Amino acid sequence: MTAYLVRRFLLMILTLFGISVIIFVLLRIVPGNIVDILADAAGFVNPAEKARIEAELGLDKPIPVQYAKWIGGLTRGDLGFSYVSEKPALDEILPRIPITARLAAAALVFSILFGVPLGVISAVKQNTSLDYGLRVLSLTGLSMPAFWLGLLILMAFVSLTGTLPIYSAAPKSFIDSLIMYSVPAAAVGFRSSALIMRLTRSSMLEVLRQDFIRTARSKGASEKSVNYHHALRNAVLPVITIIGIEAAFLIGGLIVTETVFNIPGVARFLVEAIRWRDYPIVQNLVMFVALIVVVTNFLVDMAYTALDPRIRYSD
Amino acid sequence: MNKHTRIATRIALPAALLLAAFMSAGTAYAQKQGGVLKMYHRDSPASASIHEEATFSTVTPFMGIFNNLVMYKQDVAQNRMDTIVPDLATSWSWSPDNTKLTFKLREGIKWHDGKPFTAKDVKCTFDMVMDKSPTKFRKNPRKTWYDNVAEVSVNGDFEATFSLKRPQPAMLALLASGYTPVYPCHVSPADMRTKPTGTGPFKFVEFKTNESIKVTRNPDYWKKGRPYLEGIEYTIIPNRSTAILAFIAGKFDVTFPTEVSIPLLKDVKKQAPKAVCMVEPTNVSTNLIVNRDAPPFNNPEIRRAMALTLDRKAFVDILFEGQADIGGSMLPPPAGVWGMPAQMLATIPGYGTDKKKDRDEARSIMQKAGYGPAKRLSLKVSTRNIPIYRDPAVILIDQLKEIYIDGELDVVETANWFSKVARKDYTIGLNLTGSAVDDPDQNFYENYACGSERNYTNYCNRDLQKLFDQQSMESNFEARRKLVWEIDRKLQEDVARPIILHSRAGTCWQPQVKGMTIMINSSYNGYRYEDVWLDR
Amino acid sequence: MRAAAFDSELAKAGANVSSRWGAARFLARRYPLGAIGGVIMIVFLLTALLAGVVAPYDPLATNSAHSLAAPGTAHWMGADNFGRDVFSRILHGARISLAVGIGSTALGCFFGVILGLFSGYLGGWVDLLVQRLIDILQALPLLVLALVMAAALGPSIQNTIIAIAIPLIPTVARVIRANTLALRELPFIEAARAVGMGDLRIALSHVLPNTLAPLIVLATAQFGSAILTEAALSFLGLGIPEPFPSWGRMLSESAAEYVRTAPWLVIFPGLAISLVVFGTNLLGDAVRDLLDPRQRT
């Protein structure tokens, strides 16, 4: 087990290294850099000025030198400076993380709150019209573009309440912040809740057919207790699986939702930084996202071993 | 657009002038101190340094931090030479030969950090803008404005003189623009980009990229009793529909100036009927840059055919529901001071009302050049990947079809646009040109002079260039305007940079916002906001 | 599962497999939701094929007189700000969605299969290398990768297809590799090896056909997500440029501006996307149940 952990850890580092190289090189071979964008704001390109600013930003050096400088800085906790705001990249990224984290957490809570119970109901009432209805609903969740749903929710919210859950840095009350996060969270979480529901349903069905449930039934456990106690406990795995799979997907949903609801989180910040070719922000943020995904997957695997005695890792 | 607003816009100029007069005279007793004005901002500006940017995304939130030497009177909607008023300068005077412009400066003014303002700051600012200072801006978009300035000199702490190479009365207009604040000597350009220091009515608080900009009242402002507002908060919302929904929901007092499109304006009118909305020209023209050095448009006849097929009215109807202006290079009257009169405009090829006749002529030109229904000309229409650029390009392509040209839209990312244009790697480009001040000097020298960096097509006409200088030195308004009309007509006949339309856009504010004036012939000069107040 | 076993499987389940029609009827009864999905997809395919014949207007023709016309007899789904007919644009947009869906799925599957097949079959350092590549691609969120790729390549249909295909590669490669690993140990592969067949030939003629079932399941699912990714890219201003009537582009920032004054510009393209993706999901579920009995619910 320890050997497996060490191996997994080393592979994680290797993966992150690979990502850092890919994103670094990819950004720099993309046509157009920050200087072109700055020149754009000035309305023309002046080659001499362009060269001067590139030298100022260190963009004139060979890519391996630039890369070494970045990684060297990273190991010292120095992420470099944003090309646009000229502030330390860390100061730009850090304050935005909690905003996105809250939104992601709210989306996750939303999706579990709806996904698990509906999945259980759907499994228990298998092949009834309720089951069909719920399955169609969950498929609908998987079929709608997240930003479109966000836009419709936004429109509906304004039409119904006459107000708008727009982001504010300091919400006046708990209710305010609840509304502020829950409406966009619903837009992001709809998809995940549909996935969780599907997986809960199928693993519930599998579990319900298994021996120990039959045993529980024969021992006289009530139908309700069987369904909600024994079976549900075994359906925790799919939820964890989804968290693993969705970690990478969620970022995509967050990007468009933060754009539609104007939430100044890291996801939208990343899109803006790509648009500006703000390399220090993009490369550090992508590394951060990759770290989250890799660590989540690692934890999910660990949770699997802990929760499911059938899975054992050998090495 | 309902009938009411349509009429309102048609009489925009006199109404705005009247309103301005009413605001400043009639309600002078009623202004209230206090309150934070909330406005949304259309995008995150690259920096806070006005001198380094060429967009009103920077000018709007940061103009209030600064003062100019002189400025356009903030409550008059039309910028003209006679609306220029003192600011940091108490007065100005021209030398008898009209080559020396001397400013007397206000005494006892302090920068926001407490250091005194002197004539040295004026010299520092303009030396830097003219690229004569050892400290450099990261970028310096308006250097060419001062090509005619030989030197800026100081005489004591409170007098500064601009020495010109030749007379240029319009120099004063350039100095009055929102683009021309006076910067402090003692603050580095880098600090001016991130946390600017000025002498103006508002002090910088914070600028969070993609999130918000905040400024607060300068309690030591030299103009007593100003500003009325306690501060201004700009929330950055790039998504227009989200921004308008938030305005309708009452989250903002003002929309970003001239950022409400005509269809969105309808929505505001319907959902927030109490809001005050103005639709005004922005002095931004939608135009075509044509590559004159490469086939097929190196043939003047084909350029002419293209000019003839342009149905400007269709552009105006589709993009602005009829509410935009057709004109030449200068903003057309009544909002514009220098634009050609309608009768003159109608005589230029392609501007006539009989589009069918124009297109018949265009088709026969194309046929002479060897094209026809069977042999169509294929080309790319390049433009930037931004809706206000893309949308007219879509219409252009549809109109080119009429004269056997199959255009394909070539959408270019912002990062690659100007290098592509500089490489001449395009056939036709759809372009937007904003004029900071409604003055021919700024427009002609920047966009049409031989060798100018913003003369993307390298249109170069030496005879016309002489006329540029002649109008620039002319101090008589009527005489100058006659010259400007001639130049503008020639530019259009030469298909130098065919102007499709001059756009208009809306600005809305809630009824409690008072003292707001939207300038009608510039998008860069009216954001000092020291006279704006909140009635609540 | 191989095609030969398919009919007997159906027969075992009680279907009348003497005619294709009978099999189809049986499948429709057995998988009613899948049948609905199939119908949606057939309509979608027909729309894409016949758009030029059916569409009442040229999807690119502007008309100032009909700018933002509401849905009515002239324009069933209204007109956009250019006066272009939304119905015609949606019909033509089916072609683009189809191209994006098929193009990126095929491209992603092609490279994913190659990587997965060789990494699984050859093992050793090839496997190790490919696994790392897959890890890397998988740790990069799909939309982020697509965003960077789209920014790098510039907006066009081909580039959008490539940008969407790249993130698909690791998913496909992983599934194929797992299957190949399992197959490698099976007797009939060993037999092929014993008679002296080369690695490449075994991989292509014996292993590949046997990974088709999971591949089809995966491809059906990816088809829908490709269409969704295209929509998100277009919404963010990357993706397929004007004037192509891509559904995602129709929903993009400029259309979102009219969400209240002309809601038909936002509702109909959104419905079109949702409906097609819904169809692929229904069909995908049925295909999975049919081809991959282990996951049958």
Side-chain angles (χ1 to χ4, degrees):
Chain A
M1 187 69 191
T2 323
Y4 174 77
L5 275 179
V6 171
R7 199 178 110 97
R8 274 300 306 257
F9 183 75
L10 288 177
L11 285 180
M12 240 166 72
I13 300 289
L14 192 65
T15 304
L16 288 174
F17 167 74
I19 290 171
S20 73
V21 173
I22 288 186
I23 194 71
F24 195 89
V25 175
L26 196 62
L27 280 177
R28 277 157 184 81
I29 56 171
V30 168
N33 63 16
I34 174 76
V35 187
D36 292 303
I37 305 223
L38 292 178
D40 176 83
F44 54 83
V45 183
N46 181 335
E49 226 167 277
K50 192 179 160 185
R52 183 174 61 80
I53 304 173
E54 276 178 355
E56 214 173 90
L57 297 173
L59 286 170
D60 54 338
K61 300 203 174 62
I63 290 181
V65 176
Q66 293 182 43
Y67 180 78
K69 188 165 176 281
W70 173 44
I71 295 295
L74 268 188
T75 55
R76 279 175 280 117
D78 169 15
L79 274 60
F81 285 77
S82 159
Y83 290 161
V84 179
S85 72
E86 300 176 68
K87 289 178 198 151
L90 194 66
D91 293 358
E92 288 282 20
I93 293 172
L94 269 188
R96 289 179 162 88
I97 289 175
I99 298 171
T100 303
R102 261 176 241 142
L103 180 59
L108 200 64
V109 168
F110 175 90
S111 53
I112 293 174
L113 227 55
F114 284 84
V116 173
L118 290 182
V120 170
I121 292 170
S122 190
V124 172
K125 308 267 175 204
Q126 192 191 3
N127 291 334
T128 62
S129 51
L130 184 65
D131 176 35
Y132 274 97
L134 285 172
R135 283 166 69 190
V136 168
L137 182 74
S138 79
L139 275 176
T140 314
L142 293 177
S143 309
M144 288 201 275
F147 67 90
W148 189 61
L149 182 65
L151 215 57
L152 294 185
I153 291 179
L154 201 65
M155 242 168 60
F157 200 92
V158 174
S159 302
L160 293 176
T161 66
T163 179
L164 185 70
I166 195 158
Y167 178 82
S168 104
K172 285 190 196 75
S173 65
F174 179 71
I175 300 291
D176 271 8
S177 71
L178 197 69
I179 290 175
M180 197 171 81
Y181 279 111
S182 62
V183 176
V188 191
F190 195 33
R191 185 200 147 80
S192 318
S193 71
L195 270 180
I196 289 182
M197 186 195 139
R198 279 158 67 89
L199 245 87
T200 309
R201 177 178 178 275
S202 58
S203 70
M204 261 300 271
L205 286 177
E206 198 186 314
V207 169
L208 282 173
R209 281 189 222 111
Q210 274 167 9
D211 294 342
F212 70 98
I213 296 283
R214 263 186 240 136
T215 322
R217 276 205 192 111
S218 65
K219 278 184 180 166
S222 77
E223 196 64 11
K224 229 182 190 163
S225 137
V226 166
N227 286 338
Y228 294 102
H229 189 71
H230 291 83
L232 185 56
R233 209 173 56 190
N234 283 280
V236 177
L237 275 179
V239 175
I240 292 173
T241 315
I242 290 291
I243 294 172
I245 299 173
E246 282 292 283
F249 244 113
L250 202 60
I251 304 285
L254 288 171
I255 288 176
V256 290
T257 308
E258 285 188 356
T259 305
V260 171
F261 289 88
N262 207 59
I263 297 167
V266 270
R268 184 161 72 98
F269 191 49
L270 177 63
V271 181
E272 289 297 312
I274 293 175
R275 193 165 68 88
W276 281 97
R277 306 285 197 275
D278 193 349
Y279 302 159
I281 299 288
V282 178
Q283 64 207 27
N284 287 312
L285 258 185
V286 168
M287 284 312 289
F288 174 73
V289 170
L291 186 73
I292 300 262
V293 174
V294 169
V295 170
T296 312
N297 281 329
F298 178 70
L299 292 178
V300 165
D301 279 0
M302 294 300 107
Y304 253 90
T305 23
L307 286 170
D308 191 340
R310 281 170 302 181
I311 302 172
R312 277 281 169 259
Y313 291 99
S314 56
D315 193 49
Chain B
M1 183 65 31
N2 62 37
K3 206 170 168 190
H4 179 76
T5 4
R6 207 182 280 266
I7 292 166
T9 349
R10 200 158 293 161
I11 53 164
L13 166 68
L17 286 175
L18 261 174
L19 189 74
F22 175 74
M23 286 284 191
S24 52
T27 56
Y29 59 92
Q31 284 103 344
K32 289 182 191 161
Q33 286 277 353
V36 172
L37 186 77
K38 292 199 164 107
M39 186 190 280
Y40 69 76
H41 193 301
R42 62 171 188 169
D43 63 3
S44 199
S47 83
S49 183
I50 292 177
H51 276 300
E52 297 202 39
E53 304 299 337
T55 161
F56 76 121
S57 289
T58 296
V59 178
T60 306
F62 297 112
M63 185 171 160
I65 307 273
F66 298 100
N67 289 113
N68 287 8
L69 285 171
V70 290
M71 68 167 175
Y72 286 107
K73 203 163 181 320
Q74 293 291 297
D75 54 6
V76 180
Q78 191 182 42
N79 296 170
R80 296 183 306 270
M81 289 306 274
D82 62 332
T83 66
I84 295 176
V85 293
D87 201 12
L88 284 176
T90 50
S91 67
W92 63 87
S93 59
W94 285 96
S95 66
D97 65 347
N98 280 335
T99 59
K100 281 193 167 43
L101 174 58
T102 301
F103 294 96
K104 291 254 184 294
L105 304 179
R106 218 173 280 276
E107 300 185 23
I109 292 176
K110 287 196 163 46
W111 294 98
H112 292 159
D113 58 10
K115 295 213 167 63
F117 157 79
T118 69
K120 254 200 238 89
D121 294 309
V122 176
K123 183 171 166 55
C124 276
T125 303
F126 289 96
D127 278 356
M128 213 142 49
V129 174
M130 291 188 291
D131 212 4
K132 286 179 176 169
S133 152
T135 30
K136 303 270 183 220
F137 287 134
R138 194 149 88 163
K139 50 190 197 285
N140 190 1
R142 278 171 300 280
K143 190 180 148 192
T144 47
W145 279 16
Y146 306 96
D147 280 349
N148 185 35
V149 178
E151 184 197 23
V152 176
S153 54
V154 298
N155 176 19
D157 275 352
F158 299 102
E159 192 180 296
T161 301
F162 284 64
S163 306
L164 309 183
K165 295 171 187 163
R166 59 162 174 78
Q168 187 185 11
M171 179 50 68
L172 207 59
L174 301 179
L175 296 178
S177 166
Y179 265 149
T180 324
V182 175
Y183 274 18
C185 271
H186 62 276
V187 180
S188 72
D191 280 345
M192 293 302 284
R193 290 196 288 270
T194 50
K195 37 180 197 295
T197 305
T199 51
F202 294 100
K203 288 190 344 190
F204 175 82
V205 178
E206 63 173 15
F207 169 22
K208 289 188 183 162
T209 318
N210 291 316
E211 194 175 331
S212 63
I213 297 167
K214 285 181 186 145
V215 297
T216 187
R217 183 173 194 270
N218 173 12
D220 306 317
Y221 188 44
W222 53 271
K223 219 179 265 182
K224 288 295 157 241
R226 296 289 198 286
Y228 296 116
L229 296 170
E230 211 37 62
I232 309 178
E233 278 181 27
Y234 300 86
T235 304
I236 296 165
I237 308 185
N239 188 310
R240 273 198 197 183
S241 37
T242 310
I244 281 294
L245 281 177
F247 175 77
I248 290 171
K251 300 272 173 185
F252 295 106
D253 300 310
V254 198
T255 67
F256 195 67
T258 62
E259 195 55 22
V260 186
S261 67
I262 308 293
L264 278 181
L265 205 69
K266 267 198 221 166
D267 199 19
V268 176
K269 281 272 158 208
K270 206 164 66 195
Q271 304 294 325
K274 281 194 201 131
V276 181
C277 291
M278 295 257 173
V279 178
E280 306 291 5
T282 54
N283 207 350
V284 174
S285 75
T286 300
N287 52 64
L288 300 178
I289 49 175
V290 181
N291 190 341
R292 314 165 73 88
D293 301 334
F297 291 111
N298 56 354
N299 179 350
E301 280 301 293
I302 301 223
R303 290 205 294 268
R304 202 173 118 80
M306 191 198 59
L308 283 169
T309 193
L310 287 181
D311 182 355
R312 293 177 168 81
K313 194 174 170 303
F315 280 93
V316 171
D317 285 347
I318 290 176
L319 299 172
F320 295 89
E321 304 195 352
Q323 302 197 61
D325 303 285
I326 295 172
S329 169
M330 299 302 298
L331 182 71
V337 178
W338 303 96
M340 283 179 275
Q343 314 87 281
M344 191 170 179
L345 203 62
T347 62
I348 299 170
Y351 280 87
T353 44
D354 190 352
K355 226 35 291 171
K356 195 184 166 300
K357 191 173 135 256
D358 280 353
R359 285 194 174 147
D360 283 343
E361 192 187 338
R363 274 188 285 266
S364 73
I365 294 174
M366 291 298 286
Q367 275 157 358
K368 252 181 247 152
Y371 299 101
K375 185 175 180 284
R376 297 176 68 89
L377 170 60
S378 290
L379 52 79
K380 281 191 169 177
V381 176
S382 305
T383 197
R384 305 169 67 168
N385 197 9
I386 306 173
I388 47 168
Y389 284 76
R390 255 181 355 232
D391 289 358
V394 170
I395 303 171
L396 175 69
I397 287 173
D398 196 40
Q399 293 191 359
L400 288 174
K401 266 192 226 157
E402 300 278 335
I403 56 163
Y404 319 124
I405 298 179
D406 289 323
E408 186 197 331
L409 191 64
D410 170 29
V411 182
V412 184
E413 283 302 307
T414 293
N416 308 324
W417 172 246
F418 279 110
S419 47
K420 190 181 172 88
V421 170
R423 281 199 312 275
K424 291 252 166 177
D425 178 17
Y426 67 94
T427 309
I428 311 186
L430 197 130
N431 183 56
L432 261 63
T433 303
S435 292
V437 284
D438 185 17
D439 188 275
D441 277 18
Q442 188 253 310
N443 190 358
F444 292 162
Y445 285 110
E446 213 164 276
N447 301 319
Y448 301 98
C450 307
S452 158
E453 277 162 321
R454 290 214 207 181
N455 181 358
Y456 306 127
T457 60
N458 291 351
Y459 169 83
C460 180
N461 183 333
R462 297 282 166 198
D463 296 334
L464 211 57
Q465 189 97 0
K466 283 190 196 110
L467 284 181
F468 290 175
D469 291 345
Q470 200 184 325
Q471 66 80 24
S472 175
M473 289 188 280
E474 179 60 62
S475 50
N476 178 289
F477 172 72
E478 286 302 333
R480 186 178 177 208
R481 193 159 72 164
K482 283 260 158 53
L483 277 168
V484 170
W485 287 352
E486 279 317 308
I487 294 170
D488 204 351
R489 195 218 323 245
K490 180 75 180 135
L491 287 173
Q492 302 318 312
E493 284 172 355
D494 276 1
V495 196
R497 187 190 273 204
I499 308 290
I500 296 175
L501 56 86
H502 290 265
S503 65
R504 286 193 203 175
T507 312
C508 297
W509 53 85
Q510 311 287 3
Q512 70 267 22
V513 178
K514 310 281 179 190
M516 184 76 91
T517 306
I518 302 298
M519 304 214 158
I520 57 172
N521 57 346
S522 168
S523 301
Y524 301 89
N525 305 335
Y527 311 116
R528 182 64 64 74
Y529 291 147
E530 59 188 23
D531 304 316
V532 174
W533 57 283
L534 286 168
D535 189 13
R536 59 172 167 219
Chain C
M1 182 163 306
R2 297 155 92 179
F6 188 60
D7 282 349
S8 58
E9 173 86 354
L10 282 180
K12 234 186 288 167
N16 168 18
V17 287
S18 56
S19 69
R20 292 255 155 244
W21 188 234
R25 264 211 320 252
F26 170 74
L27 285 174
R29 259 205 313 277
R30 179 91 182 256
Y31 304 104
L33 291 180
I36 295 171
V39 170
I40 293 175
M41 292 316 285
I42 289 169
V43 170
F44 170 58
L45 284 174
L46 286 178
T47 307
L49 290 174
L50 301 175
V53 187
V54 184
Y57 295 86
D58 174 353
L60 303 185
T62 63
N63 182 346
S64 59
H66 290 181
S67 176
L68 295 179
T73 46
H75 299 283
W76 292 0
M77 297 185 181
D80 67 6
N81 52 329
F82 297 105
R84 299 179 298 195
D85 181 50
V86 173
F87 180 58
S88 303
R89 286 176 69 72
I90 285 189
L91 293 181
H92 280 268
R95 288 183 175 178
I96 290 176
S97 290
L98 189 69
V100 168
I102 290 184
S104 56
T105 309
L107 204 65
C109 285
F110 178 74
F111 287 103
V113 165
I114 291 185
L115 284 180
L117 201 58
F118 286 102
S119 123
Y121 186 76
L122 295 175
W125 64 270
V126 177
D127 185 33
L128 210 68
L129 206 73
V130 171
Q131 280 308 298
R132 295 295 76 74
L133 190 69
I134 288 173
D135 278 353
I136 288 168
L137 284 177
Q138 226 164 22
L140 285 170
L142 185 134
L143 193 59
V144 172
L145 197 57
L147 267 174
V148 177
M149 292 309 297
L153 298 164
S156 78
I157 294 189
Q158 292 93 313
N159 294 345
T160 306
I161 288 175
I162 296 174
I164 296 172
I166 288 174
L168 290 189
I169 296 174
T171 323
V172 175
R174 243 160 78 138
V175 172
I176 298 296
R177 176 178 174 272
N179 269 274
T180 310
L181 279 178
L183 282 168
R184 201 170 58 168
E185 310 305 327
L186 290 182
F188 78 103
I189 301 284
E190 295 202 4
R193 216 177 282 140
V195 298
M197 271 175 103
D199 278 348
L200 187 69
R201 231 184 110 196
I202 298 177
L204 291 182
S205 63
H206 289 294
V207 183
L208 184 60
N210 284 292
T211 54
L212 271 184
L215 189 64
I216 290 172
V217 172
L218 203 62
T220 329
Q222 293 305 346
F223 184 86
S225 85
I227 292 177
L228 285 179
T229 310
E230 187 270 318
L233 278 179
S234 294
F235 174 74
L236 293 171
L238 299 151
I240 292 169
E242 280 282 359
F244 295 109
S246 129
W247 293 342
R249 164 60 62 205
M250 290 169 78
L251 274 179
S252 73
E253 73 265 61
S254 34
E257 209 168 284
Y258 305 103
V259 68
R260 289 163 65 87
T261 39
W264 52 90
L265 294 185
V266 174
I267 287 169
F268 291 115
L271 276 180
I273 295 175
S274 304
L275 196 65
V276 167
V277 179
F278 186 66
T280 61
N281 283 341
L282 285 177
L283 194 64
D285 273 8
V287 169
R288 193 198 55 208
D289 288 354
L290 192 65
L291 295 182
D292 196 355
R294 275 168 305 170
Q295 289 189 43
R296 188 172 289 166
T297 49

